[in-house]
Structures are given as C-alpha cells and as structure tokens.
Amino acid sequence: MKFKTEISSTSDLTSEKILKTKDKCIVLHAKRFEGKLRRLSVFTKKHGKLNVIVSLVDCKFPVLFEPFSVIDAEIVQIEEKFELKKAKLLEINFPENLKTFKYLNKLAFLVHNYTLPPNQKLFEMLRKYLKVRENFNLAYTSFLVKFCFFEGIFPDVERCKLCGSKGISLFSVEKGGTFCRNCLKSGFKWSLKHTEVVRVLLKRRLEEVQSFGIANSLILDIMKTLERHVERHLS
C-alpha cells in the first residue's frame, strides 16, 4: 500500500521514494527484531493494519510500543517497508491481571489476524473496548458480533437459510447461518434466544447491555460459534 496523505521526497543516497504520514495507532503485537529494533503490528485509524519497525535507542518510554497502547505516530514508508519515527502516548491499556490480559489479547488477535483495510469505526470501537475492565465474556462477544458486521460477514441468524422456517436449531459455520433440524443434521447449537442476544449485541451499546442480565451460557455459545465463523470466512 501507499500513503495517500504523505509528504514525499527522494533520498540522495538510495534514490528510494520516502513517504511520511501521521496517524493514530493501536499496538496489536510486538516482537523483538534485531538489537534495539522491535517489529510492531499496529492498527491505524487512516491506513488500516501495518507492520512497522521501531528503534528503542534513546527511547525513554518503552511502554509506548507495548501491546494495547494507543499512540499518535509519525510513520515513514520506504518502498514497501514502514518505520515508526516519532510517537506520543495517548492511552496505556496495561493488563492488571491474567484475565484482563487474555481479554485484551483476544481483541488484538481478531484485528491482527483478520483485518487489513482502513476502518475508522472499527478503530474507534477497538479503542473503546480496550478500556473495559469487567464482564469480559460479554464485552468480547459484543465486540465479536460488531466485528462480523464491520467485516461484512455478519451471518443470517433470523431464519433457516434453506426453507425460511423460524424454527432454527443449528448454526452452520460453512454456510454462514442458521438452519432448522429438517434442513441440517449437525452444527453448532443455536436457537431464537441466541438470535435475540446477537441482535441486542449488534444494536446496543455495551454499557446498556451490561444491565440486561444475559445468561452466560448464551454468551459462551455465541462466542464459540462466531469465532469459528470468523476463522472460516476471513482466513
């Protein structure tokens, strides 16, 4: 990809085209590269997901480049490589315990593995959900439902995809939706109650949903099913 809002110049030494841009970034994944270099996977507001290299030499605040941090950064593109030159910390989303880490990691995993193009609504949603510190199963499943919608793979869960019956009882990952027992013999357990919860999670804000008292068993069913759905249709 090429930056669309760049300042371009040409290096006298290498004749390589250098493009610069500023963008807000969410650090999804960090890995040590060589010496003081670190390779980051970041989800940016204007340019989607990028893999960038950053040097930690003279870096006074390494937390800038830790997973789940939100930064305002200057990114330089040299040919097909991206380097992060300057960064300002906007938000630290440090996991205080293992449960929080697992929740944050699942959010980052979805975007890191299945998202590439820019999506400003998804960026802002991820930024918001990274701040959640309670009801992790509900919050993650809420994010997962909305993620499917943003990525264009939201399943048909209102009726049987084959005969149109409302008496749905199974979800097919392969076919991307729900079926009645007459049209599908095996699949993930699904009922109209699951559909009602998905509808609520899609349309309502998380703050509202937290007071609805949704059964954890329904949340876990939806989570497990949609994780397989995403894996099947975005891998």
Side-chain angles (χ1 to χ4, degrees):
M1 69 169 290
K2 297 290 184 182
F3 292 141
K4 294 182 179 180
T5 55
E6 75 271 10
I7 303 170
S8 61
S9 63
T10 303
S11 167
D12 293 332
L13 296 177
T14 63
S15 296
E16 293 178 322
K17 190 173 183 181
I18 300 175
L19 308 176
K20 297 180 182 179
T21 191
K22 289 185 177 180
D23 205 352
K24 289 183 173 62
C25 310
I26 298 172
V27 181
L28 303 173
H29 181 71
K31 184 178 181 180
R32 294 189 181 279
F33 187 40
E34 297 176 357
K36 289 287 188 175
L37 296 179
R38 185 171 293 183
R39 188 190 301 274
L40 307 179
S41 170
V42 298
F43 188 51
T44 70
K45 187 172 183 176
K46 295 184 291 188
H47 299 92
K49 191 182 73 174
L50 299 175
N51 293 315
V52 302
I53 299 295
V54 62
S55 173
L56 298 185
V57 175
D58 299 325
C59 178
K60 297 180 180 179
F61 303 103
V63 71
L64 279 166
F65 311 117
E66 289 298 318
F68 323 127
S69 292
V70 183
I71 59 178
D72 197 2
E74 179 182 288
I75 304 171
V76 176
Q77 180 179 1
I78 306 175
E79 298 301 323
E80 297 302 320
K81 297 179 181 179
F82 299 91
E83 297 181 11
L84 196 153
K85 293 296 185 182
K86 298 177 182 178
K88 176 184 177 183
L89 183 64
L90 299 179
E91 295 163 16
I92 299 176
N93 294 298
F94 185 78
E96 300 86 356
N97 51 55
L98 184 58
K99 286 185 177 180
T100 306
F101 172 78
K102 288 181 177 180
Y103 164 73
L104 297 177
N105 197 53
K106 289 173 78 171
L107 295 179
F109 177 87
L110 274 179
V111 179
H112 173 69
N113 283 282
Y114 300 119
T115 303
L116 183 60
N119 188 323
Q120 294 193 19
K121 289 185 178 180
L122 179 57
F123 178 91
E124 293 298 343
M125 183 176 75
L126 177 59
R127 188 174 178 178
K128 174 183 175 181
Y129 276 74
L130 286 172
K131 299 175 183 177
V132 173
R133 290 298 179 269
E134 61 181 353
N135 298 328
F136 291 138
N137 285 340
L138 177 63
Y140 171 68
T141 305
S142 172
F143 183 89
L144 186 58
V145 168
K146 293 177 171 70
F147 179 83
C148 288
F149 180 80
F150 283 136
E151 292 298 305
I153 60 164
F154 192 78
D156 183 356
V157 294
E158 297 294 334
R159 57 187 59 82
C160 175
K161 289 194 69 173
L162 192 59
C163 71
S165 168
K166 287 282 189 176
I168 55 176
S169 57
L170 294 170
F171 185 103
S172 169
V173 169
E174 290 74 18
K175 300 180 187 300
T178 51
F179 291 81
C180 66
R181 282 285 183 184
N182 293 328
C183 296
L184 189 71
K185 301 304 179 184
S186 63
F188 287 88
K189 179 176 66 175
W190 197 276
S191 68
L192 286 177
K193 287 185 178 180
H194 293 84
T195 294
E196 290 171 5
V197 172
V198 166
R199 195 183 298 129
V200 166
L201 294 179
L202 178 63
K203 296 182 178 180
R204 298 296 191 95
R205 295 182 297 112
L206 179 61
E207 294 82 1
E208 296 178 85
V209 175
Q210 287 175 333
S211 65
F212 289 178
I214 300 173
N216 193 53
S217 58
L218 290 174
I219 294 297
L220 292 176
D221 285 346
I222 294 168
M223 180 196 305
K224 178 176 66 175
T225 302
L226 290 188
E227 282 180 334
R228 292 292 300 277
H229 176 74
V230 168
E231 181 182 359
R232 173 68 173 79
H233 293 280
L234 291 182
S235 293

